[in-house]
Amino acid sequence: MVYGNSQINRSFFYDTDNCTVYFTYFSEFNRLWEGAAFIEAVVMSIIFLLSIFENGIIIGFIFNSRKSRTVTNFFVCNLAIGDILFVSSAPLVAYVRITGTWYLGDGMCHLLNYGMFVCSNTMIWTMVAISIDRYICIVIGIPTSRRLVPVHIVLICAGIWLTTSCCFLPTAFFFHLQDIHLDHGVITFCTLTWPSGHIHYSVLFTTMLLLLGFGLPVLIISLNYYRIFKKFWSSKRAIDTQNVSGIQRCTRTRKRKEQRIVKTLILLVVIFVLMWLPIVIVFSMIREDIENERNEMPSYGLTWALIIAYLNPCVNPFLYGFMNEEFLRKLRYCRQYRQSNEQTAVSRTNLREGQTSASNL
């Protein structure tokens, strides 16, 4: 449909004056069903609340327990912080999905998209750091005390944040508000426009996103966990060749523990690919649409790919926290301690009631 000097296609605008195609990203117009925006908003809000609650528990556990302040758990804490910051964009995206037109201001257009790129890639590379830490600990066998101290962990985490912040700094400048004048008024949306010239910035950015934001992390994580898997498998075969009856019970316990660890490692890789691959594919398709002027990728495609990525902060606390033996022991201890206190309180109440009844007699 053509309005004034612009062509609208639900998620794309073609400005005939500037001969430029704009993708609306989080905004969408001329929806076939307006209720879809509210469904998207509700789903994102639920994911946001669950992620904040789960990651808050993980951070609180690590800071409140001295025994839990290990090298891996410091990385897990950094991952939880990245999870919270990344998923905190969900309410703002949900608001834009409902309103369509961007009402959050020009500054938020720059900051929101830049922050999402930085936080998501910080999460990804923190997961890479965790896989490297587990590889060094399990396969190489270097004790934690000989590896790193908390200051080193802080520097590594700060380096991850600084590197991702620098890599995606261009998005803070090239995301901007775009006003489109239609016959019935003006609409505003936040879009990404690369500078024109001989350098194909969109190709460079998409390539960097594919390599640094997905391809290389998947390769490193897969290799590290594959080596850990081989280590467990070789130890399992060695144990299977032994027939000493005195160690059979210990062997069975160890087997169950190793099987659980192997399943967790496989699950980590599978979930990582399933949750981050869709948004990488969608960004690539958006670039192809704009370059070839096909204008076919709908904005809700990007939204649901982002929702899948938002699920990762919900899953990470289970994979990196709730599956941790020490964390589970702490939870069981707290639950038993609370139940003991409740039973003690009930006993004291019953004792006081019995003493009162005896005195009345």
Side-chain angles (χ1 to χ4, degrees), residues 5-243:
N5 63 343
S6 301
Q7 182 178 359
I8 181 172
N9 184 21
R10 295 176 62 189
S11 303
F12 287 90
F13 281 90
Y14 178 70
D15 194 331
T16 56
D17 289 344
N18 299 322
C19 297
T20 304
V21 177
Y22 300 106
F23 182 67
T24 59
Y25 285 88
F26 304 132
S27 299
E28 188 166 353
F29 306 93
N30 288 346
R31 286 176 175 268
L32 298 178
W33 181 49
E34 295 297 331
F38 293 94
I39 293 177
E40 295 165 350
V42 169
V43 171
M44 283 188 278
S45 299
I46 293 174
I47 294 174
F48 166 72
L49 294 175
L50 288 176
S51 299
I52 295 296
F53 175 73
E54 294 170 5
N55 286 283
I57 291 177
I58 295 296
I59 294 174
F61 164 73
I62 293 174
F63 278 98
N64 290 329
S65 176
R66 290 185 178 181
K67 293 183 179 180
S68 65
R69 296 172 190 174
T70 62
V71 172
T72 301
N73 283 348
F74 276 119
F75 283 127
V76 171
C77 183
N78 188 62
L79 177 62
I81 293 172
D83 286 344
I84 290 175
L85 293 177
F86 174 66
V87 81
S88 294
S89 63
L92 299 177
V93 176
Y95 174 73
V96 176
R97 294 302 293 172
I98 293 175
T99 60
T101 298
W102 186 275
Y103 293 117
L104 299 177
D106 184 62
M108 187 57 69
C109 175
H110 296 288
L111 182 61
L112 176 63
N113 294 281
Y114 171 64
M116 291 173 66
F117 278 112
V118 171
C119 293
S120 60
N121 281 271
T122 297
M123 291 162 50
I124 290 171
W125 282 99
T126 301
M127 287 186 263
V128 172
I130 293 174
S131 72
I132 295 173
D133 170 71
R134 290 182 173 179
Y135 167 76
I136 294 174
C137 180
I138 297 173
V139 178
I140 299 180
I142 300 178
T144 302
S145 58
R146 291 175 52 190
R147 284 184 288 155
L148 301 170
V149 297
V151 175
H152 297 151
I153 303 299
V154 172
L155 291 177
I156 292 173
C157 293
I160 294 174
W161 281 100
L162 181 61
T163 303
T164 54
S165 299
C166 293
C167 287
F168 292 95
L169 192 60
T171 60
F173 296 100
F174 299 129
F175 266 101
H176 63 93
L177 292 185
Q178 181 65 41
D179 294 328
I180 297 295
H181 297 270
L182 307 178
D183 291 342
H184 58 273
V186 179
I187 61 172
T188 303
F189 53 88
C190 181
T191 189
L192 175 63
T193 305
W194 298 104
S196 58
H198 297 291
I199 301 176
H200 294 281
Y201 293 98
S202 62
V203 176
L204 291 176
F205 177 76
T206 305
T207 303
M208 183 186 71
L209 188 64
L210 286 170
L211 293 179
L212 300 182
F214 185 77
L216 187 58
V218 167
L219 178 62
I220 297 174
I221 291 174
S222 300
L223 285 176
N224 287 330
Y225 289 152
Y226 173 71
R227 290 168 181 169
I228 294 173
F229 173 80
K230 285 184 64 178
K231 178 76 172 182
F232 285 143
W233 184 256
S234 61
S235 64
K236 176 180 179 298
R237 293 184 63 183
I239 291 174
D240 288 341
T241 60
Q242 299 178 4
N243 296 316

Side-chain angles (χ1 to χ4, degrees), residues 277-308:
L277 183 59
I279 196 165
V280 173
I281 293 175
V282 168
F283 264 102
S284 301
M285 293 177 66
I286 291 172
R287 189 197 70 80
E288 288 295 323
D289 271 5
I290 294 176
E291 291 289 332
N292 300 313
E293 297 184 1
R294 287 196 296 262
N295 305 343
E296 295 176 352
M297 171 58 64
S299 180
Y300 65 78
L302 173 63
T303 300
W304 283 102
L306 181 60
I307 288 174
I308 295 174

